[in-house]
Amino acid sequence: MKMQQTMVQVLPPEMKVLMNHIYEYKKGVRRMVLFTCNRRFEAFATQRLCRQSIDYVVQPAGKENVNVYFGRKECLDAIRLFITRPLNELSPEEDFILGAMLGYDICAQCERYCERKAACKRKPCKLA
C-alpha cells in the first residue's frame, strides 16, 4: 500500500501576522490595520485581502518593504490623502492621527505627540 504524501504549506511568520490582523478586522476588533512586509509577500497579502473583500492601500516602505493598510473605506480614503511620504517624515500631528486611526493607546499617542513636538522645537521638523 502506497502512502500518499500531502504537501503542507508552511506560512512564514509575517503571513501568520497578516492572518491574525485579518481575523481581528473581520471580528470588529480593528477598523484599520497597518501591515508591513517584505515586497516578496505583497502579492500574497493583496490577493488574500481581495479574496476576503477587504479594501487596502499599498505604499512603499523603503527598498525592500511595503506598508499594506487595510480596513474600512473611510479610513483608507484618509490614508490616501495624508500618508504621502515615508512614515518617519510625518508631522507630529499626522503621526498622532495615524496612531489613533490604528487604534493605538490614546494616552501613549499623546505622550508620543508631546515628545515629537518638543523635538521639533529643538530642531526644525520636516512638514508637508
Side-chain angles (χ1 to χ4, degrees), residues 4-51:
Q4 186 177 15
Q5 289 184 338
T6 57
M7 295 200 47
V8 177
Q9 182 180 6
V10 178
L11 290 175
E14 295 97 325
M15 295 304 99
K16 290 179 182 178
V17 170
L18 173 66
M19 299 307 178
N20 186 65
H21 285 322
I22 291 172
Y23 173 81
E24 290 180 349
Y25 173 72
K26 298 276 265 182
K27 290 293 182 184
V29 174
R30 301 170 181 260
R31 296 191 186 275
M32 187 179 80
V33 175
L34 167 56
F35 173 67
T36 302
C37 66
N38 188 285
R39 287 183 189 277
R40 69 178 184 257
F41 299 123
E42 178 182 348
F44 178 91
T46 56
Q47 289 168 8
R48 188 64 171 225
L49 293 168
C50 284
R51 283 195 305 272

Side-chain angles (χ1 to χ4, degrees), residues 12 30 45 48 52 90 104 107:
R30 301 170 181 260
R48 188 64 171 225
Q52 298 277 327
L90 294 181
Y104 297 167
C107 293

Side-chain angles (χ1 to χ4, degrees), residues 64-95:
E64 297 181 17
N65 296 325
V66 292
N67 285 332
V68 181
Y69 299 87
F70 65 90
R72 299 281 302 264
K73 181 187 180 312
E74 304 89 338
C75 296
L76 297 177
D77 288 345
I79 290 299
R80 286 183 188 96
L81 291 174
F82 82 95
I83 308 294
T84 57
R85 60 195 175 286
L87 297 181
N88 65 333
E89 294 179 13
L90 294 181
S91 70
E93 291 79 10
E94 291 166 328
D95 181 80

